[in-house]
Amino acid sequence: MPVHDLRDYPHHLDTLASWHQKEWAHLNPGQTLEQRIFKMQDYLKPDFIPSTFIYLRDGKLCGSAAIIESDMDTHTELRPWLASVYVSPNERRQGIGRILVESVMERARHNDISTLYLYTPDQANFYRKLGWRAIADESYHDTPVTTMSVRLV
């Protein structure tokens, strides 16, 4: 199985934090890489939420997906969230993102979570193909995003 819990591979945390900072810093205004690394330490704690799952191929880190309590400060009533779905540019278009998302969905289902939420600036069609439905198109930190949900039961 190529999807693993980050808790079992904590040495990848700094690389993930760097990837995530480069990709999404504009959605977290003012957050430094050091702050992101500090915040991501929570993914190494034993609770299911938050958790980060990583895709490894021959020991090489290829991508990540997380489940967190809340991902939008404008929708604190919605929880929990799929977040930080990221695939390294050299590994894209190989099904890794789909495998990561489906793995988080299955793990959430096994943890008695009935609905997951996410927001995406540019991948709504990708998520629709995996059974997600749009809740709203809105602006978040001056970025147009689609907020989505999926029923797991």
Side-chain angles (χ1 to χ4, degrees):
M1 178 80 169
V3 178
H4 304 274
D5 195 315
L6 180 63
R7 290 172 187 91
D8 298 327
Y9 297 87
H11 59 280
H12 288 302
L13 190 141
D14 288 358
T15 300
L16 281 181
S18 179
W19 286 355
H20 296 176
Q21 183 73 8
K22 184 177 180 184
E23 189 77 10
W24 299 302
H26 66 286
L27 294 171
N28 299 284
Q31 184 181 60
T32 66
L33 175 58
E34 292 74 23
Q35 290 168 326
R36 184 178 293 269
I37 290 170
F38 179 78
K39 184 177 176 184
M40 287 179 70
Q41 296 294 318
D42 285 347
Y43 295 116
L44 303 179
K45 294 178 181 175
D47 298 327
F48 178 63
I49 296 175
S51 292
T52 291
F53 301 96
I54 57 175
Y55 187 103
L56 299 175
R57 179 183 293 140
D58 299 324
K60 178 184 173 193
L61 181 63
C62 298
S64 70
I67 184 168
I68 63 174
E69 190 66 31
S70 182
D71 202 21
M72 291 179 83
D73 54 19
T74 55
H75 288 295
T76 57
E77 77 283 4
L78 304 177
R79 52 192 59 200
W81 291 70
L82 172 70
S84 304
V85 177
Y86 180 86
V87 177
S88 173
N90 293 339
E91 305 296 332
R92 292 180 182 166
R93 303 268 182 224
Q94 299 178 40
I96 293 171
R98 177 188 54 77
I99 291 168
L100 283 162
V101 171
E102 288 175 346
S103 178
V104 171
M105 291 168 62
E106 185 61 26
R107 291 167 194 251
R109 187 178 295 111
H110 284 326
N111 280 274
D112 298 321
I113 294 169
S114 60
T115 304
L116 276 176
Y117 300 90
L118 67 78
Y119 76 91
T120 179
D122 58 359
Q123 294 297 320
N125 287 335
F126 167 77
Y127 292 107
R128 278 188 192 97
K129 291 175 187 173
L130 298 175
W132 294 73
R133 66 175 182 84
I135 297 172
D137 290 315
E138 55 195 299
S139 180
Y140 188 62
H141 295 293
D142 298 321
T143 301
V145 301
T146 302
T147 306
M148 305 182 84
S149 70
V150 67
R151 294 282 299 156
L152 300 174
V153 291

